Amino acid sequence: MCTLHYSPNDKAFDHGTVLSQTPRPGIPVPPGCTVKELTDLLAPIGAQMLVQSLRDGLYKPPHQNKGWKGEELDQGQLTHAPKVSKADGHIKWSSWTADDIVRRVRVMKSLWTEAINKKGETKRLIFSDAEAIALGGFNGNGATVRFVEGQGSGVFRTIVSDQGDGSYAIATSDDRMIRVKKIKEEGKTEREAKVTLRSYIEA
């Protein structure tokens, strides 16, 4: 949905009295929608809402709450979404599903993880693409990579599979895989996943 707020605090985002809101049941978002596609979908709707609100003088006090979503929910369930930080892009291998990873890559543009190479060094790896694929029917030949989930979270060892085109498939916690084409290792340029993971793969 699109919502227009009035807030006396110019530093607050998504706060204040709801002056206008798109009608029930909201705006359907296509599956797999990217940030740009969502922006292109909502921008003209939001612009039209702003123009109409100015014409109707909704900015003039007293401000009336026109929000309907809050009325549908128990007030105890209403929470403000936290600000997205770099920490939110740290892959949680033991709990995120393949779809979780793909969705976050689509929204955040990239995700990062740490992995242990053959020398025992821990390096940061950045994934800028990912697609979910089925686990069955691949031959991993026993190849694995050790990903670090964070301080005190331990190591997640998972199977990986060369896809034959420079990309690599990486098993996820839900018995599926993500296919990654490009990976950037800290201190180096982005390269094919096969090249970057070469020094991390253990038989």
Side-chain angles (χ1 to χ4, degrees):
M1 77 185 76
C2 284
T3 303
L4 182 67
H5 294 267
Y6 170 81
S7 174
N9 183 356
D10 59 4
K11 295 183 179 180
F13 177 76
D14 201 24
H15 285 67
T17 304
V18 177
L19 299 180
S20 182
Q21 195 168 65
T22 47
R24 293 178 174 85
I27 302 169
V29 178
C33 187
T34 65
V35 172
K36 183 181 184 305
E37 290 168 344
L38 185 61
T39 300
D40 291 343
L41 172 66
L42 298 180
I45 299 173
Q48 183 179 6
M49 178 186 295
L50 176 60
V51 171
Q52 189 60 50
S53 297
L54 291 172
R55 288 174 177 168
D56 294 341
L58 299 184
Y59 58 92
K60 299 177 182 178
H63 303 120
Q64 297 183 6
N65 192 337
K66 300 291 186 178
W68 56 266
K69 189 62 178 178
E71 296 176 356
E72 290 187 350
L73 298 173
D74 184 325
Q75 290 299 313
Q77 296 178 341
L78 289 174
T79 57
H80 289 283
K83 184 177 180 180
V84 177
S85 68
K86 288 185 178 180
D88 295 311
H90 189 178
I91 300 174
K92 297 177 176 60
W93 291 102
S94 62
S95 58
W96 287 8
T97 66
D99 288 338
D100 288 336
I101 295 173
V102 171
R103 185 182 306 110
R104 284 172 168 83
V105 167
R106 189 169 63 242
V107 172
M108 302 182 71
K109 303 299 184 183
S110 66
L111 299 178
W112 63 276
T113 185
E114 291 180 322
I116 302 172
N117 62 24
K118 295 177 182 178
K119 296 179 181 179
E121 302 168 328
T122 299
K123 299 284 187 178
R124 177 174 293 201
L125 305 179
I126 300 174
F127 298 176
S128 57
D129 69 88
E131 63 175 306
I133 59 176
L135 181 61
F138 90 101
N139 183 8
N141 295 320
T144 63
V145 170
R146 289 182 293 164
F147 292 111
V148 180
E149 291 210 285
Q151 293 183 346
S153 299
V155 173
F156 183 85
R157 183 189 291 270
T158 189
I159 55 176
V160 295
S161 172
D162 186 347
Q163 298 298 284
D165 58 359
S167 68
Y168 248 80
I170 304 171
T172 52
S173 64
D174 58 336
D175 293 330
R176 296 176 68 195
M177 303 196 86
I178 55 168
R179 177 172 174 263
V180 181
K181 299 177 182 178
K182 303 282 187 178
I183 300 177
K184 183 181 185 305
E185 182 182 28
E186 62 175 284
K188 298 181 180 180
T189 59
E190 185 178 65
R191 297 175 294 174
E192 287 188 339
K194 179 178 181 178
V195 176
T196 302
L197 290 179
R198 186 176 297 151
S199 60
Y200 293 86
I201 294 174
E202 301 173 343

